[in-house]
Amino acid sequence: MSKLLIIPLIFLNGLSLFGQIEIETNYLDANNWILMNKISVRQFVNELIRPTDQPDNPSKHKYVLQTVGQQDANWITKEDVKFLIKLMDSKEDAKCIMQIKSSYMPTVEKPTLGDQVILLINAYRQKLNFPYELTLCGDFGGKERSEIKRWWKKEKSK
């Protein structure tokens, strides 16, 4: 019986020696603020998704993604836009974006992931640093989405 226990212990010890598989979050500081100089666009989008287990009471939970610094206008690439376009119609609940130097809280309570993705696409289109305002909380209708889809149809073939 002691031989049977040795194999699992060696295996478990091996995991601790080689490290466990973890989701890389080296873009968070000690306050869980997003360090914009260390995050990719896809990681940023994942951080925007609001957990579904949070109730709809903003006074009890934070629905704001707090960021430190900005990325330059080249941060979002054409390949990223290809990924973002697929998410543009998402109705999934998302977080607003707020730079920590802002003293103003966003007013849109429940943006969608699609709305927040439009902010990223518009930053790419306009060659803006991101985030380009102290607070960003999209609330876009179908007109904006249609315009972006027309633009992308022309842009992706370039």
Side-chain angles (χ1 to χ4, degrees), residues 103-140:
S103 60
Y104 173 74
M105 289 295 283
T107 56
V108 177
E109 288 184 27
K110 291 180 78 172
T112 66
L113 183 61
D115 288 333
Q116 295 303 83
V117 163
I118 287 174
L119 296 169
L120 289 158
I121 294 169
N122 283 338
Y124 174 84
R125 291 175 66 189
Q126 297 170 31
K127 305 289 184 225
L128 300 173
N129 293 348
F130 194 86
Y132 49 86
E133 292 182 9
L134 291 176
T135 61
L136 291 169
C137 207
D139 189 10
F140 301 103

